[in-house]
Amino acid sequence: MRTRRRRSRKEAQLGSGPPGSLRFWGARYVEWLAEKNYSPATVEQSVRYLGLFFDWCEARELHRPVDITRPVLERHLRYLFHLRRDNGQPLSFSSQVRRMVPVKAFFRWLTRQNVILSNPASDLELPKVEQRLPKYVLSVDEVEKVLAVPDIETAHGLRDRAMMEVLYSTAIRRAELQRLSVFDVDRARGTLRIQQGKGKKDRVVPIGARALAWVEKYLESVRSDLLVGPSEEHLFLSSTGEPMLLDVLSTTVRRYITRADIGKKGGCHLFRHTAATLMLENGAELRYIQELLGHAQVTTTEMYTRVSIRKLKRIHEETHPGAKLEPFKEGRSKNGPEEQAEGDDLPSSP
């Protein structure tokens, strides 16, 4: 799988092209993104998906920006709709949109740079993306089962327990956990500083006393053994003394969730969903959860109002006439004469 992923990324590189070609201007656009301090993730995504788009164009003898018209882009959208992955599955609508967003941004930039007179993607209508809810959210008991899985008598087990405690307590993202520095933990205030989170925004979030205790234990007992270079500031380290890779973080957490045998799947993000949902169910206001999660728009956080079902279930039980189970009485069977007594005045069948 890793080999296939590396190949796809290599194939998706922008490459080079003659002056005035799509690849020529694509390279200039990516350079502009870096100059304007866009995040590395945005730059990487632009390189990848623009490269795939340019491959598609060149296969159809479309080499220059002026060759790309609105009908061409609509044809590309149809291509993405019918495209199949290696496993035979189609691209999701969100994947189709994700591929087209850098393309639209690229042509908007070309127009502003006066490379083309009009933007062929200006009114391009992208597929409507479904608003999906998290498939799984853990209960408090399920969280405790997962947290109890690591063998804390080992260095890796203690480190992994501390990592999951931080994820659960702070609801931070996987990449934010990876970038944490030892100096980001403020023990006195009980806070965690997130540097350059999504959208390159810093924020400070609270961290619970239990998670802080596990971090303290990790720092005192384990981190110094994993540390190789004295200048390394990352909080959680791998066996080689380097910051843990994102894929390794996902695999590690996913393995513990599977071993907990709770019938649910997920990785680092499952703790984020769980923390937000449990806080909402316990009475936290939405705006505070938004601040904790680092959402730019409250509409993103509102997803958890649809995940949190506990309050709605309680209201349903209190107000819906058919919500409570009444005991069956002896002498009454389903569709029996007693149940039909009130309908005796109905006309009988001929």
Side-chain angles (χ1 to χ4, degrees), residues 168-298:
Y168 178 44
S169 179
T170 63
I172 60 177
R173 301 177 178 92
R174 179 187 63 167
E176 294 170 345
L177 177 75
Q178 182 207 37
R179 290 195 298 267
L180 280 180
S181 161
V182 291
F183 304 108
D184 292 331
V185 183
D186 190 332
R187 304 176 183 88
R189 299 176 59 198
T191 59
L192 202 65
R193 182 179 59 177
I194 309 301
Q195 300 189 63
Q196 299 295 284
K198 193 171 183 179
K200 305 196 76 170
K201 296 178 181 178
D202 293 354
R203 71 183 191 279
V204 176
V205 299
I207 181 172
R210 188 176 81 168
L212 270 178
W214 281 103
V215 171
E216 287 277 5
K217 187 173 180 62
Y218 160 74
L219 289 172
E220 294 172 358
S221 308
V222 173
R223 188 178 182 277
S224 58
D225 296 333
L226 298 175
L227 189 64
V228 175
S231 61
E232 180 58 64
E233 296 182 356
H234 281 83
L235 178 59
F236 294 111
L237 304 176
S238 65
S239 302
T240 59
E242 300 174 338
M244 297 187 68
L245 298 175
L246 293 176
D247 289 346
V248 174
L249 283 174
S250 295
T251 303
T252 300
V253 174
R254 188 181 300 115
R255 182 172 62 246
Y256 288 128
I257 294 173
T258 301
R259 288 172 54 188
D261 195 24
I262 56 177
K264 295 180 179 180
K265 299 178 181 180
C268 300
H269 225 65
L270 182 59
F271 283 106
R272 181 173 169 87
H273 291 320
T274 297
T277 304
L278 293 178
M279 288 181 63
L280 187 63
E281 290 183 341
N282 287 327
E285 294 184 20
L286 199 62
R287 61 189 180 96
Y288 292 121
I289 298 178
Q290 176 191 1
E291 187 173 349
L292 177 70
L293 298 178
H295 287 162
Q297 303 292 333
V298 72

Side-chain angles (χ1 to χ4, degrees), residues 20 63 94 165 168 313 344:
H63 301 282
S94 59
E165 289 281 358
Y168 178 44
K313 184 173 176 59
D344 285 345

